[in-house]
Amino acid sequence: MATVLRATTELVAATWLNTLFDQPIVATTLPKPADGTPVWADTGFITVAVVGGGAGMYVPLRSPVVSVDCWAVNPQSAKPPWGKANNLAETVQAACYGPINMRLELPGGFPDVRALSAYSVSESRRITDDQSSYAHYSLDVQLHWVEAS
């Protein structure tokens, strides 16, 4: 029996959020620095994780809540670049106003999906006391999506 790939919320969230930026800066994990300097130091980075929500009982509509964590670092300073991380969070917040209604091509042979809407369900908040001097903001977004037909 062949394995059937199914879209996942983390793939949908990362793919949609990557459409908001000039280059791919969204994934499920923060890339580890190879030589001590994160490759994302110039752009910042966003990680996503499912934290709640649900799926339709009678229709294939998914409505998960996703934690969106925005990261920034200044390799030349121990002072976290709060403004850069906050700007990423505010970009995500601004994208949550109005319907999205776009087809997203997921990577790796996963089926395409239609992202219908996204709503911010929390204010972005500063996460302090990071030992690595990363600036970190977090907000929660509820997505509504279906597999495309």
Side-chain angles (χ1 to χ4, degrees):
M1 184 171 158
T3 302
V4 176
L5 297 176
R6 305 305 303 201
T8 68
T9 293
E10 289 175 335
L11 276 173
V12 172
T15 302
W16 171 63
L17 289 168
N18 272 319
T19 68
L20 307 178
F21 302 97
D22 293 336
Q23 54 189 310
I25 62 166
V26 184
T28 56
T29 57
L30 199 59
K32 302 286 187 233
D35 63 357
T37 302
V39 295
W40 48 269
D42 291 338
T43 60
F45 203 82
I46 296 175
T47 56
V48 295
V50 178
V51 295
M57 183 182 293
Y58 300 109
V59 295
L61 174 67
R62 306 284 286 269
S63 301
V65 176
V66 179
S67 175
V68 178
D69 292 282
C70 304
W71 304 86
V73 65
N74 182 351
Q76 278 65 46
S77 173
K79 183 178 178 187
W82 294 109
K84 185 185 287 186
N86 183 250
N87 190 55
L88 292 173
E90 291 300 322
T91 299
V92 173
Q93 178 81 42
C96 291
Y97 295 112
I100 300 170
N101 198 20
M102 67 170 44
R103 189 179 188 104
L104 297 174
E105 184 178 322
L106 300 182
F110 286 88
D112 291 355
V113 299
R114 178 154 298 282
L116 303 171
S117 60
Y119 301 99
S120 175
V121 295
S122 73
E123 183 69 21
S124 64
R125 55 206 173 272
R126 184 186 291 209
I127 309 299
T128 58
D129 295 328
D130 187 284
Q131 297 301 313
S132 58
S133 296
Y134 289 175
H136 179 191
Y137 272 79
S138 186
L139 70 151
D140 297 323
V141 172
Q142 185 165 31
L143 296 173
H144 301 277
W145 64 272
V146 295
E147 283 192 3
S149 52

